[in-house]
Amino acid sequence: MYAIVEIAGKQFKVTQDQYIYAPKLEGDAGASLEFDKVLLIDNDGAVEVGTPVVEGAKVNAEVLEHVKGEKVLVFKKKRRKGYKKKNGHRQQFTKILIKGISK
């Protein structure tokens, strides 16, 4: 059984006992979350597609920790002008454990 759920504006394909990294969410480590924007549910071949969401479907999850992603370097340069600028960025994510999918 799997579901496609919208979390913080992004869509994820989730199954039970799966870890995902979503954009940073509110809540401390150990807090439980419930997502009700379920777009699709597949229960062993019985696919139910929402219009736009499946009514009564929910995904329960638990916040494990807040982490940072890999560093992305941004380098700007204009040739022959002596202009160079180097910047870095690390995106913040929330590691989530999917507890269950209910209909």
Side-chain angles (χ1 to χ4, degrees):
M1 176 178 205
Y2 72 88
I4 296 179
V5 63
E6 184 177 324
I7 301 172
K10 298 187 182 287
Q11 295 178 7
F12 295 93
K13 178 181 175 183
V14 297
T15 59
Q16 189 169 351
D17 299 327
Q18 177 187 7
Y19 298 103
I20 62 170
Y21 291 93
K24 188 167 184 187
L25 301 171
E26 296 294 322
D28 297 327
S32 61
L33 300 172
E34 189 173 273
F35 304 109
D36 56 353
K37 285 191 175 183
V38 179
L39 306 174
L40 180 139
I41 290 183
D42 181 6
N43 192 359
D44 298 326
V47 178
E48 186 173 345
V49 180
T51 55
V53 295
V54 178
E55 295 297 324
K58 294 183 181 178
V59 174
N60 296 319
E62 178 185 351
V63 175
L64 297 178
E65 61 181 335
H66 298 288
V67 295
K68 287 185 176 181
E70 295 287 321
K71 180 171 266 196
V72 177
L73 293 178
V74 180
F75 185 73
K76 299 178 182 179
K77 180 180 177 178
K78 294 189 179 179
R79 62 185 192 155
R80 297 187 304 270
K81 303 297 179 197
Y83 173 79
K84 291 189 285 187
K85 189 165 207 89
K86 183 177 176 183
N87 249 339
H89 175 74
R90 291 185 72 185
Q91 187 69 35
Q92 295 187 352
F93 294 104
T94 301
K95 186 176 181 182
I96 298 173
L97 171 65
I98 303 298
K99 291 286 193 172
I101 301 168
S102 63
K103 169 84 173 85

